[in-house]
Amino acid sequence: MLIYLNGKLVPKEEAKVSVFDHGFLYGDGVFEGIRIYNGKIFKLKEHIERLYASAHAIDLKPPLTQEELLKATVETVRANNLRDGYIRIVISRGEGDLGLDPRKCPNPTVVIIADKIAIYPEEVYKKGMKIITVSTRRNSPQALNPNIKSLNYLNNILAKIEANRANVPEAIMLSIEGYVAEATGDNIFIVKNKKLITPPLHLGVLPGITRQTVIELAKERGIISEEKPFTLYDVYTADECFLTGTAAEIVPVVEVDGREINGGVPGEITLLLMKDFHEYVKKEGVEVYK
Ligand code: PMP
């Protein structure tokens, strides 16, 4: 496996970063997770745009342009001969001293990893997922805005630990005010009266690329999406519920906190969007092997 590290493709064993890197010391940095489908990198431009928006929000200046990073990403995938897989791009603050001050880190670290993808078992997509709500609240946008895809994922990891203890693969996180925010690594949708509802970004959720794709695919079907705050009551009484994310894709949710949704089976609109999504990912994307 070849890893892109600061402008060079190096073997995995040589892809090493300093222990003084503020990404390691403080989680100071940003990242992206991207899919490769059938030799094409799905929504690569959108992911790079979000990465640069996250970097800008934390006042981190990437050492390469978006176009250069796009090319480096394509080259990394090609060097690893992958047709289907998962890419992780990381830009950390870089090496500094033991203090917090980012001004002591003149050179951000850029890493691109292209690997195989670990996915949920097929059964989860056929039968749907049972999830819970965890007590860990999603970060307040006033403290650390979840719109930023930062390396500081401890909030989500604390929620994931709660999910693990309850033996479920994902969990709902509420905002500080008690509205449904998102899952630990996915966005959430409910379906009510044939309309999609998903939490608005200002509530403090990641502007998911899959979320946006689903909104667009639904629109093509004439299905309206509303971005508005909702509570657990709305989830429990929803007609359908599903999660979206790059790794997870679209996962039907059939039970939340012991309450069955749609009689415990994946809903009609969810299944339709899953089908549309799978067809769409085959067509869309930046070609790696031209
Ligand atoms: N929310 C969080 C907290 C995430 O980590 C992710 C995965 N990157 C998502 C939502 C889904 O975003 P996307 O569809 O862009 O992968």
Side-chain angles (χ1 to χ4, degrees):
M1 182 191 286
L2 291 170
I3 312 280
Y4 175 97
L5 175 61
N6 298 326
K8 288 197 198 97
L9 282 167
V10 297
K12 184 183 170 191
E13 297 70 32
E14 288 167 31
K16 302 265 166 67
V17 174
S18 166
V19 292
F20 286 91
D21 193 300
H22 280 208
F24 175 69
L25 287 175
Y26 296 117
D28 184 356
V30 293
F31 77 102
E32 280 298 320
I34 311 168
R35 277 253 199 178
I36 316 155
Y37 290 104
N38 194 29
K40 289 195 273 293
I41 307 177
F42 186 66
K43 300 272 178 196
L44 178 56
K45 207 160 162 274
E46 287 81 352
H47 279 282
I48 288 180
E49 273 167 16
R50 184 173 68 185
L51 182 72
Y52 278 64
S54 294
H56 190 64
I58 67 162
D59 198 16
L60 171 66
K61 287 175 192 65
L64 60 184
T65 65
Q66 294 198 28
E67 191 56 35
E68 286 165 344
L69 185 64
L70 192 142
K71 280 193 187 136
T73 306
V74 171
E75 274 162 31
T76 307
V77 174
R78 199 182 295 138
N80 286 285
N81 217 6
L82 287 163
R83 289 199 66 83
D84 290 276
Y86 183 82
I87 305 162
R88 172 62 47 90
I89 306 180
V90 179
I91 306 182
S92 78
R93 189 74 66 181
E95 194 176 329
D97 64 17
L98 289 179
L100 287 177
D101 194 345
R103 291 174 302 185
K104 304 276 177 63
C105 312
N107 302 310
T109 304
V110 182
V111 174
I112 307 170
I113 306 168
D115 202 355
K116 300 246 152 53
I117 173 109
I119 38 174
Y120 289 129
E122 196 47 43
E123 210 191 12
V124 167
Y125 296 93
K126 289 213 174 91
K127 294 192 176 164
M129 193 182 264
K130 296 178 181 184
I131 62 174
I132 59 159
T133 309
V134 288
S135 69
T136 304
R137 295 288 171 105
R138 193 70 179 102
N139 281 332
S140 158
Q142 288 89 339
L144 174 55
N145 197 332
N147 291 177
I148 303 168
K149 196 162 172 63
S150 86
L151 289 181
N152 213 304
Y153 250 52
L154 205 44
N155 178 228
N156 311 62
I157 291 165
L158 290 174
K160 184 78 184 172
I161 289 167
E162 287 191 68
N164 289 348
R165 285 186 178 279
N167 249 319
V168 291
E170 252 298 1
I172 293 175
M173 300 180 77
L174 305 178
S175 70
I176 297 291
E177 304 82 19
Y179 292 111
V180 172
E182 58 183 335
T184 70
D186 297 314
N187 290 108
I188 185 165
F189 284 80
I190 55 172
V191 182
K192 192 87 187 166
N193 301 325
K194 312 237 177 274
K195 267 191 215 156
L196 302 187
I197 311 172
T198 194
L201 301 180
H202 68 77
L203 214 68
V205 305
L206 189 79
I209 309 278
T210 320
R211 172 187 183 274
Q212 187 56 35
T213 304
V214 164
I215 290 172
E216 285 162 19
L217 290 174
K219 197 174 171 201
E220 279 174 29
R221 284 266 181 201
I223 301 167
I224 293 166
S225 301
E226 286 181 351
E227 296 181 48
K228 63 177 191 189
F230 58 89
T231 64
L232 279 176
Y233 170 82
D234 301 305
V235 178
Y236 298 156
T237 59
D239 299 329
E240 302 179 28
C241 177
F242 60 88
L243 306 179
T244 64
T246 293
E249 303 176 304
I250 302 175
V251 192
V253 171
V254 293
E255 192 183 300
V256 176
D257 300 331
R259 278 74 155 185
E260 263 187 2
I261 297 171
N262 193 43
V265 294
E268 205 180 305
I269 291 179
T270 307
L271 292 171
L272 188 67
L273 291 170
M274 285 168 72
K275 190 173 137 286
D276 286 355
F277 184 80
H278 287 299
E279 279 166 21
Y280 182 58
V281 298
K282 277 189 240 154
K283 295 181 283 180
E284 203 284 332
V286 174
E287 285 276 2
V288 180
Y289 308 95
K290 276 181 283 201

